Amino acid sequence: MGKNTEREFSSEQQLPTLGVAPYLKLMNQTAAPDTEHNAAHMGLLMLWLSDNILDVVDGDLASYGITESKLDLMLLLLLHEENEGITPSGLASRLGIRRASVTAMLDWLEKRDWIARRQSNADRRMVHVSITEKGRYLVNQVLPVFWATCASLLDGLNTTERDIFKKVLLKLHGNIEKRMGGGR
Amino acid sequence: MGKNTEREFSSEQQLPTLGVAPYLKLMNQTAAPDTEHNAAHMGLLMLWLSDNILDVVDGDLASYGITESKLDLMLLLLLHEENEGITPSGLASRLGIRRASVTAMLDWLEKRDWIARRQSNADRRMVHVSITEKGRYLVNQVLPVFWATCASLLDGLNTTERDIFKKVLLKLHGNIEKRMGGGR
DNA sequence: CTAATTAGTTAGATTATCTAATTATATGAA
DNA sequence: TTCATATAATTAGATAATCTAACTAATTAG
């Protein structure tokens, strides 16, 4: 599943760590003339940071045998519980993936008895999906860890930094959701 | 590979967009008492933003038939070119993945004639990996787009916001690299 | 000189995605 | 009313990115 944690290696010929500098040099040689280098530099760091954030979160969830995308789906079920009519189609369009992909995720989650399907009476082509007691139990185990992991991403920032960062973060998040035509 | 772009859907029963509010409510019910809610809120946004950033970047690279991880590997080859001795092991430990996974990536890249392997003379167990002319050409096509995409992640932030964000970003990036025991 | 170690690959698995085809049901138009 | 079309879900089959374990070949160390 996730990336490796252990060291399989020992004495090997490591590639030296270069840091960001050679990437910036390369950028000078290869960026289009109208690309703002400072922004591209920051964007590169954001991309690297994003990779690392997903690794950290998936690493922390791994011990519960669940991934971010599956937890995502379960949270959707939980948060829309009053809404009786959650269907694979609805989940697919919300998660931005195909119905066939949702079928696969639901198979996996159903096998573990974390979600349940039942056929709709109103329209017998449709399936209603819900979280089970066992699924709810799992989510309650996972969430405290999940929130702690989220909070830990900010470790090392002081209060002032957090305050100014929050404004920027809200803006960035809003912008990119607009760009992706999404939103949770 | 990537997520879908197209709409397979039409009239369906959409799940309404709830925004972050119900997640925060859930956090209030499920976070450990020592978890800082403001930090967890920001961390959640960072996680969502990270997902979106990777989607945007992979989307922009997709038209060149390459993914972020493969481009990463090619850039490593390019930046360490003077270093004659780049091996699959070295790449694996640098990329934080297993040697077997690197073998698979190299097979894929070699099939397209973007990288080349040759056996080491000094130690005939070892293989030296290099980028080919064709690979270099591809990278030169891709990079201007890549930098533009990176820069575009900052769209909508004004100069002041960029300046303050840069400080925080450098710190966050440094912290998480320390945490993952990595560094490029 | 043999045993252990190392580098790389192969074989086989899982997860997450996709597209295309299939099945069952529902709807709309002649 | 029936038949063509549309929709929901699943199935079948593919690709990508990862993993572990086993294997082969080469090197090194006791």
Side-chain angles (χ1 to χ4, degrees), chain A residues 11-178:
Chain A
S11 70
E12 82 259 33
Q13 56 305 118
Q14 288 282 6
L15 295 183
T17 300
L18 302 172
V20 77
Y23 289 87
L24 298 179
K25 194 176 152 205
L26 188 58
M27 190 198 299
N28 280 314
Q29 294 158 15
T30 57
D34 64 330
T35 296
E36 274 202 65
H37 288 216
N38 185 50
H41 175 185
M42 292 174 68
L44 181 65
L45 292 179
M46 287 171 73
L47 177 58
W48 289 354
L49 182 61
S50 297
D51 278 341
N52 287 331
I53 284 175
L54 296 190
D55 283 353
V56 164
V57 172
D58 256 0
D60 283 3
L61 295 183
S63 37
Y64 296 89
I66 197 164
T67 55
E68 203 220 325
S69 42
K70 301 233 179 75
L71 178 60
D72 235 35
L73 192 159
M74 305 253 282
L75 290 182
L76 238 36
L77 295 180
L78 200 62
L79 296 175
H80 287 85
E81 221 168 10
E82 64 288 352
N83 177 348
E84 261 300 289
I86 308 175
T87 62
S89 280
L91 290 167
S93 98
R94 182 56 109 68
L95 295 169
I97 59 180
R98 294 293 178 185
R99 282 175 306 175
S101 310
V102 171
T103 296
M105 288 173 88
L106 292 177
D107 287 348
W108 191 98
L109 292 166
E110 195 179 39
K111 197 158 54 182
R112 283 151 186 83
D113 202 25
W114 290 342
I115 64 107
R117 288 161 156 130
R118 69 168 205 292
Q119 202 175 30
S120 161
N121 292 320
D123 183 335
R124 316 236 329 273
R125 288 168 304 180
M126 290 203 256
V127 161
H128 292 316
V129 184
S130 55
I131 187 166
T132 61
E133 268 316 305
K134 218 173 146 190
R136 209 182 303 279
Y137 180 80
L138 174 85
V139 168
N140 281 318
Q141 297 295 299
V142 170
L143 281 182
V145 174
F146 178 71
W147 301 124
T149 301
C150 286
S152 78
L153 297 176
L154 282 290
D155 280 357
L157 295 193
N158 63 39
T159 317
T160 324
E161 288 167 330
R162 287 177 196 217
D163 286 347
I164 60 177
F165 180 41
K166 187 164 191 176
K167 287 201 191 73
V168 174
L169 186 54
L170 286 167
K171 201 160 182 177
L172 286 171
H173 177 252
N175 286 346
I176 208 161
E177 288 224 321
K178 214 182 308 156

Side-chain angles (χ1 to χ4, degrees), chain B residues 142-162:
Chain B
V142 170
L143 280 182
V145 175
F146 178 72
W147 301 124
T149 301
C150 286
S152 77
L153 297 176
L154 283 289
D155 281 357
L157 296 193
N158 63 39
T159 318
T160 324
E161 289 167 329
R162 287 176 195 219

Side-chain angles (χ1 to χ4, degrees), chain B residues 6-34:
Chain B
E6 290 303 309
R7 194 113 352 264
E8 186 193 18
F9 322 103
S10 36
S11 70
E12 84 260 32
Q13 56 303 122
Q14 288 283 3
L15 295 182
T17 299
L18 302 173
V20 78
Y23 289 87
L24 297 179
K25 194 176 152 206
L26 188 58
M27 189 197 301
N28 280 315
Q29 294 158 15
T30 57
D34 64 328

